[in-house]
Amino acid sequence: MNAELFESVDNYIGELLGHEDEVLKSAGRSVKDTTMPGANVSANQGKFLQVLARSCNARKILEIGTLGGYSTIWLGRVLPLDGHLITLELEQSNAEIAHRNIIKAGLDPIVDIRIGKALELLPAIEAEEIGPFDMIFIDADKPPYTEYFEWALKLSRPGTIIVADNVIREGKVLDTKATDEKVKGVQRLNKMLAENKQVTATIIQTVGSKYHDGMVIAVVN
Ligand code: SAH
Ligand code: DHB
Ligand code: MG
């Protein structure tokens, strides 16, 4: 593979269009102190999330999987002052790191970090009638990705953009005999999408500073 070339091109795009200020740089660095060092999106992927959020005029965003708040900051920065971003995180220690980064970014007034298992937090979000969300970013544990997507549909409206990260996994999704639960989780979502009539969806393959992967991009019909 041309990994070096892909990384150089990613850096080229980043220098042109994926600028990280000090707040994003320090949030990116803080991810090494979380339970999943390196699992944040890249700068260019953060910018891509911003492009999508702007394209649907997002005012309300739901994120599943906060880690250090790196993607949260990219997304939160294109919300209006009266916007709202709810982000769900299993680990208290990650949420604390994310909270510090979000305060530094000045986004604390519009970002709500909720701690717990996403599947246990989502019913409350439905009951509180906070949705429908304009954009939903799924980026937590992979085995329940299909269930997260079903929740995203429940909390959406026609036009909502739903993104799911890490659905290609260096091409491991091609292995029909995969035993890795993460691979099986994203294969199940990708297959479900092929049959789902509620969304118009595709998968964008990504290369660059992160390993070869992909993101589901779906718009609710
Ligand atoms: N969106 C982040 C990266 C998220 S990494 C970014 O790009 O910056 C995945 C996160 O999901 C980790 O912080 C992990 O602790 C969290 N997670 C794992 N299982 C979870 C669950 N069941 N519910 C909520 N969060 C979960
Ligand atoms: C994994 C999860 C992520 O969200 C990511 O961006 C990279 C890797 C993982 O669980 O392996
Ligand atoms: Mg991810």
Side-chain angles (χ1 to χ4, degrees), residues 66-142:
T66 317
L67 196 61
Y70 182 81
S71 54
T72 319
I73 294 173
W74 279 102
L75 285 166
R77 281 186 165 169
V78 291
L79 283 175
L81 287 174
D82 63 346
H84 196 179
L85 193 163
I86 298 185
T87 181
L88 312 183
E89 173 54 47
L90 177 66
E91 304 286 348
Q92 172 88 33
S93 59
N94 294 346
E96 281 168 16
I97 291 169
H99 193 217
R100 282 197 289 276
N101 291 328
I102 284 158
I103 290 170
K104 269 191 224 158
L107 292 169
D108 198 40
I110 61 167
V111 174
D112 178 4
I113 307 175
R114 298 195 178 187
I115 301 166
K117 288 185 182 159
L119 288 175
E120 290 172 8
L121 296 170
L122 287 160
I125 292 170
E126 184 186 33
E128 288 170 47
E129 295 185 31
I130 302 166
F133 292 91
D134 306 304
M135 179 165 167
I136 300 172
F137 180 43
I138 299 170
D139 193 21
D141 49 331
K142 312 309 166 191

Side-chain angles (χ1 to χ4, degrees), residues 36 39-40 139-140 142 165-166 169 182 211:
M36 293 181 64
N40 55 304
D139 193 21
K142 312 309 166 191
D165 196 23
N166 314 114
R169 314 198 71 82
K182 295 181 187 182
Y211 68 107

Side-chain angles (χ1 to χ4, degrees), residues 6 24 47 58 60 67 80 98 104 118 134 140 153-154 180 198:
F6 294 150
L24 275 170
K47 183 69 182 287
K60 283 191 263 182
L67 196 61
K104 269 191 224 158
D134 306 304
L153 287 173
K154 243 191 249 187
D180 178 331
Q198 289 169 271

